[in-house]
Amino acid sequence: MFMAVVREKDVCWEYAEKLDGNKVRCKFCLRVLNGGISRLKHHLSRLPSKGVNPCSKVRDDVTDRVRAILSSKEEIKETSSVKKQKIAEARSPGNISTCSKIIPLEASSPVAKVFPATSPIAPPSLNSQENVERSIALFFFENKLDFSVARSSSYQAMIDAVGKFGPGFTGPSVETLKTMWLERIKSEVCLQSKDTEKEWATTGCTIIADTWTDNKSRALINFLVSSPSRTFFHKSVDASSYFKNTKCLADLFDSVIQDFGPENVVQIIMDSSFNYTGISNHILQNYGTIFVSPCASQCLNLILEEFSKVDWVNRCILQAQTLSKFLYNNASMLDLMKKFTGEQELIRTGITKSVSSFLSLQSMLKQRSRLKHMFNSPEYSTNSSYANKPQSISCIAIVEDNDFWRAVDECVAISEPFLKVLREVSGGKPAVGSIYELMTRAKESIRTYYIMDEGKCKTFLDIVDRKWRDQLHSPLHSAGAFLNPSIQYNQEIKFLGSIKEDFFKVLEKLLPTPELRRDITNQIFTFTRAKGMFACNLAMEARDTVSPGLWWEQFGDSAPVLQRVAIRILSQVCSTFTFERHWSTFQQIHSEKRNKIDKEILNDLVYINYNLRLARQMRTKSVEADPIQFDDIDMTSEWVEESENPSPTQWLDRFGSALDGGDLNTRQFNAAIFGNDHIFGL
């Protein structure tokens, strides 16, 4: 009866469903919470307190309402606390001199409890460096900036510029930023794009159509253009109303092709979200020299996804996830693990779910002996906070199971060749000339590994052949392989004869008239037999060390017509994957609630932002960087997050002492706490 009265009085019950015991279910994200209506409020407030997972789907108006409720309750508690503190200090003779130093606590909002108001003047104990760092930190926290912003090259450049100016600098106003500086920076980016266009006459370019769709029939298409110098973002289009209409999509692609000039476009890459056959047929019929190719990264991911669905592979992944969830959902357990692994993470976050799984298995295999050592150590067995848990017994059994480690080793062996191909085609560099050989070598690795197990060999090769034949293979890939000097002159390569027909088809398409093909047979002979300039020592030494496109530019003068064709083919990319896209940004561009001015400003901002990030990626590309792996661990992935019956471990506990952004996926932390605010305040 008493519970019924409480339910009627507490307005927050309209956002929850009462379950058995003291459990409630959030009506927004359907998460089940222990602890009743109190924990639900903190869940809906999206504030990092009380050890409750923040709701990712609650509406902003509900969050504001719940925060106001929590704020009013905190005010009552704080007022009572301050009164008790003053009474206690008044009674204590030793504290009489300090009474005047008591700072009144303001409770204007729950956010103030997390980031309390502070004086702009730093405490005198801080030195100059600490004072500056403190000011920067406050700027980050107050404005909800992702910690990874501090990795940006423009972050340090900004600090250096302010430092060189010296005291008295006043930052640009809101109006100055969104007018003068927006226009200037956009002009600079456009100028860089114009400079890159000059090479298209020689190298050609690839149009990349990157697509996002959801179950609400929304469809956004981002168009990019890529050539050897760099990739540029062109524009974002909301195609929701006609995504299934081939005629309308054909008109859209026609307009984009005209933007770049049909004579400059070598190929268009699109993913399987499109009506691929319909759009492809339209382009092939109307543009004689343009190829339509599938996204290599997407096809390779589908291969790895099919691998992960094989029964024994899936079972191995699930066992490994049981182990990682146990380690990552307890702060002290995570600290112990890092002590034994030398501060290295056990799992990895890749560009897709299946890539994450196989990268994590690789990492786990490298840490096998250290994991065994940890679970057998006194530090583990004597700590009752985790050693006595039911999950502990399961994890120890997994780590001591030789069959499990044999399965992990096998998963790594079959996936690594295809992860290698994925790295090559996802790095943003021209890969048309190498993908055919890379796929051939990957398949050969499977045959070699399973030389004594014909059944397993057939299982995995059937998956590869099905995806390669039906989705990934393109005549352009065959032609690229034929023209690649590191393949053409390699005596160990056996597939050149089988790709010659595709090569001739590509030549006929790119050289459509007899006049253009007049001397092409002799030029092919000169190339394949390494005559003329192809025979010079420099050309032979550079076959395996210089990019194929550059090799043809330097040494292809003995076959000028074939040289032009080769450079255009070998200068193209194979994939839409460049870096992680934030599709919520593009959703905001196309929101019907925005007025025309807002949309124009936001379009300009996204154009600048996307292209600056693309430029940074090209500029900072290093041998060590892995194009298929992210720096931060995804703390919401299946390798960390409990899918059902969430652990009672506090939400922030799972991050341990790693709230520096290195171990925490700060994007998700930011979104979970603050929600998806409108970007740039628009």
Side-chain angles (χ1 to χ4, degrees):
M1 179 66 183
F2 175 73
M3 178 59 73
V5 172
V6 173
R7 282 193 63 179
E8 288 173 8
K9 287 185 176 180
D10 203 316
V11 295
C12 288
W13 276 111
E14 66 181 280
Y15 309 129
E17 176 188 352
K18 181 75 173 71
L19 302 177
D20 293 338
N22 198 25
K23 295 182 179 180
V24 294
R25 177 183 284 118
C26 173
K27 288 186 178 179
F28 295 101
C29 67
L30 304 181
R31 182 185 288 273
V32 177
L33 304 166
N34 289 314
I37 198 67
S38 175
R39 289 176 72 84
L40 176 80
K41 290 175 185 175
H42 290 281
H43 172 66
L44 296 176
S45 74
R46 299 194 295 208
L47 290 169
S49 58
K50 302 296 183 185
V52 184
N53 284 294
C55 184
S56 59
K57 297 184 179 180
V58 61
R59 300 194 312 271
D60 289 343
D61 62 305
V62 174
T63 295
D64 292 341
R65 184 183 186 188
V66 174
R67 286 181 179 180
I69 293 171
L70 290 173
S71 177
S72 63
K73 290 189 176 181
E74 289 293 327
E75 284 177 4
I76 296 170
K77 288 181 182 178
E78 252 179 33
T79 303
S80 174
S81 174
V82 171
K83 285 181 179 178
K84 289 178 181 177
Q85 184 182 0
K86 287 183 176 179
I87 293 170
E89 290 174 346
R91 290 174 178 173
S92 172
N95 287 336
I96 291 175
S97 62
T98 63
C99 287
S100 59
K101 295 181 182 179
I102 295 176
I103 301 172
L105 299 176
E106 297 180 1
S108 57
S109 72
V111 177
K113 311 301 186 299
V114 183
F115 306 117
T118 55
S119 168
I121 302 172
S125 60
L126 297 182
N127 60 37
S128 300
Q129 172 77 15
E130 289 175 330
N131 190 18
V132 174
E133 288 185 3
R134 178 177 178 276
S135 297
I136 293 171
L138 287 173
F139 176 73
F140 267 73
F141 304 152
E142 181 182 351
N143 294 286
K144 305 175 290 187
L145 295 182
D146 191 319
F147 297 143
S148 64
V149 168
R151 297 194 189 116
S152 167
S153 57
S154 57
Y155 169 70
Q156 186 59 47
M158 173 187 68
I159 293 172
D160 291 342
V162 174
K164 286 178 181 177
F165 184 92
F169 174 74
T170 303
S173 67
V174 171
E175 199 58 35
T176 304
L177 285 170
K178 65 192 292 188
T179 52
M180 183 186 79
W181 282 112
L182 184 65
E183 291 171 10
R184 282 193 189 181
I185 302 297
K186 184 187 177 185
S187 296
E188 291 175 14
V189 174
C190 288
L191 199 60
Q192 294 169 5
S193 174
K194 293 296 181 185
D195 286 341
T196 303
E197 287 178 22
K198 295 174 184 176
E199 73 179 10
W200 293 353
T202 302
T203 66
C205 64
T206 291
I207 295 175
I208 299 170
D210 203 5
T211 315
W212 175 86
T213 57
D214 66 4
N215 55 10
K216 296 179 181 178
S217 300
R218 289 182 298 181
L220 306 180
I221 307 172
N222 284 349
F223 287 99
L224 298 90
V225 59
S226 180
S227 56
S229 291
R230 60 179 289 188
T231 299
F232 275 94
F233 170 76
H234 180 54
K235 66 179 178 180
S236 180
V237 176
D238 183 356
S240 303
S241 60
Y242 55 85
F243 194 65
K244 301 298 182 182
N245 187 316
T246 302
K247 174 65 170 64
C248 293
L249 281 178
D251 291 342
L252 172 62
F253 274 82
D254 284 341
S255 70
V256 174
I257 291 171
Q258 293 304 320
D259 287 343
F260 303 120
E263 70 282 1
N264 294 320
V265 180
V266 176
Q267 71 168 340
I268 296 175
I269 294 178
M270 61 179 75
D271 58 43
S272 59
S273 303
F274 290 98
N275 175 4
Y276 189 89
T277 305
I279 300 300
S280 177
N281 287 340
H282 169 81
I283 294 170
L284 295 176
Q285 288 169 10
N286 289 274
Y287 303 94
T289 60
I290 297 178
F291 293 86
V292 179
S293 304
C295 171
S297 290
Q298 187 184 50
C299 294
L300 285 160
N301 181 62
L302 290 173
I303 289 173
L304 292 170
E305 190 177 306
E306 290 297 313
F307 280 9
S308 68
K309 291 178 182 177
V310 175
D311 286 344
W312 67 267
V313 177
N314 184 50
R315 193 161 51 249
C316 176
I317 291 173
L318 291 175
Q319 284 182 297
Q321 287 176 349
T322 298
L323 189 58
S324 65
K325 287 175 184 177
F326 176 64
L327 296 174
Y328 276 87
N329 277 279
N330 183 288
S332 54
M333 187 71 251
L334 186 58
D335 288 340
L336 182 63
M337 180 205 80
K338 289 194 173 184
K339 177 182 177 182
F340 278 84
T341 62
E343 296 303 316
Q344 294 183 40
E345 296 288 355
L346 186 65
I347 59 177
R348 300 286 184 266
T349 298
I351 53 178
T352 64
K353 176 181 171 182
S354 54
V355 171
S356 296
S357 293
F358 288 111
L359 288 176
S360 294
L361 289 177
Q362 272 187 17
S363 174
M364 209 170 270
L365 186 62
K366 291 176 183 176
Q367 301 291 348
R368 175 183 179 178
S369 59
R370 294 175 180 178
L371 285 174
K372 283 190 172 184
H373 187 201
M374 181 191 73
F375 279 107
N376 288 313
S377 69
E379 293 153 286
Y380 177 81
S381 58
T382 57
N383 193 319
S384 59
S385 66
Y386 39 77
N388 296 332
K389 289 187 175 182
Q391 303 100 306
S392 174
I393 299 171
S394 300
C395 289
I396 292 173
I398 291 171
V399 169
E400 296 296 334
D401 185 358
N402 289 330
D403 288 339
F404 165 71
W405 289 112
R406 275 192 290 270
V408 173
D409 184 72
E410 200 169 332
C411 287
V412 170
I414 61 172
S415 63
E416 175 52 30
F418 297 95
L419 290 173
K420 181 180 178 181
V421 181
L422 190 57
R423 287 186 179 95
E424 288 296 318
V425 301
S426 298
K429 63 182 180 181
V432 164
S434 58
I435 187 170
Y436 196 100
E437 182 197 15
L438 289 167
M439 286 299 295
T440 302
R441 290 185 183 277
K443 289 168 63 178
E444 194 57 41
S445 296
I446 297 287
R447 291 191 187 94
T448 302
Y449 187 79
Y450 285 126
I451 194 168
M452 302 298 290
D453 194 331
E454 188 177 335
K456 282 187 175 180
C457 183
K458 185 178 186 306
T459 296
F460 291 105
L461 284 183
D462 283 350
I463 291 172
V464 177
D465 287 338
R466 190 165 59 249
K467 299 297 180 185
W468 168 253
R469 182 181 62 250
D470 297 345
Q471 291 183 298
L472 180 53
H473 181 58
S474 163
L476 208 59
H477 299 157
S478 297
F482 191 90
L483 292 167
N484 187 335
S486 67
I487 296 174
Q488 179 65 231
Y489 301 122
N490 187 338
Q491 300 300 316
E492 296 180 2
I493 298 293
K494 307 297 183 185
F495 58 72
L496 282 172
S498 63
I499 64 175
K500 190 179 285 187
E501 184 178 352
D502 276 348
F503 168 63
F504 288 148
K505 287 180 180 178
V506 170
L507 277 183
E508 289 175 4
K509 187 176 174 71
L510 294 178
L511 303 172
T513 64
E515 290 75 18
L516 291 172
R517 298 194 295 265
R518 183 178 295 118
D519 193 42
I520 198 66
T521 302
N522 290 331
Q523 293 185 25
I524 294 171
F525 181 83
T526 302
F527 165 58
T528 56
R529 294 294 187 272
K531 305 288 185 180
M533 285 186 67
F534 297 122
C536 74
N537 288 333
L538 285 176
M540 290 190 288
E541 291 166 3
R543 288 171 181 173
D544 299 314
T545 59
V546 173
S547 68
L550 181 58
W551 186 88
W552 270 95
E553 185 181 334
Q554 295 296 317
F555 308 112
D557 294 30
S558 298
V561 177
L562 189 61
Q563 180 188 42
R564 182 175 185 276
V565 170
I567 291 173
R568 288 175 73 84
I569 291 173
L570 295 168
S571 297
Q572 309 312 314
V573 294
C574 290
S575 170
T576 62
F577 274 126
T578 50
F579 53 73
E580 186 179 19
R581 277 84 72 200
H582 299 283
W583 287 104
S584 59
T585 302
F586 299 103
Q587 283 179 266
Q588 289 190 46
I589 295 176
H590 303 297
S591 170
E592 293 180 0
K593 297 178 181 179
R594 297 198 175 280
N595 60 43
K596 186 177 180 180
I597 296 175
D598 270 0
K599 281 191 175 183
E600 287 176 359
I601 294 174
L602 194 49
N603 264 309
D604 288 346
L605 282 164
V606 171
Y607 175 81
I608 293 169
N609 177 259
Y610 210 135
N611 282 310
L612 288 176
R613 290 169 63 207
L614 282 166
R616 182 180 66 190
Q617 185 191 45
M618 295 294 292
R619 189 170 58 249
T620 60
K621 192 181 295 179
S622 64
V623 179
E624 295 80 19
D626 191 341
I628 65 172
Q629 180 178 314
F630 295 131
D631 294 329
D632 298 327
I633 298 298
D634 183 355
M635 301 303 288
T636 64
S637 77
E638 294 176 328
W639 288 82
V640 177
E641 187 77 11
E642 299 284 357
S643 55
E644 292 181 0
N645 300 321
S647 166
T649 306
Q650 287 193 348
W651 174 56
L652 288 177
D653 273 355
R654 71 184 58 182
F655 305 129
S657 57
L659 277 173
D660 61 353
D663 301 310
L664 171 63
N665 187 323
T666 50
R667 284 181 299 96
Q668 287 147 343
F669 175 73
N670 185 58
I673 296 177
F674 303 114
N676 295 314
D677 287 354
H678 293 305
I679 60 171
F680 307 116
L682 294 173

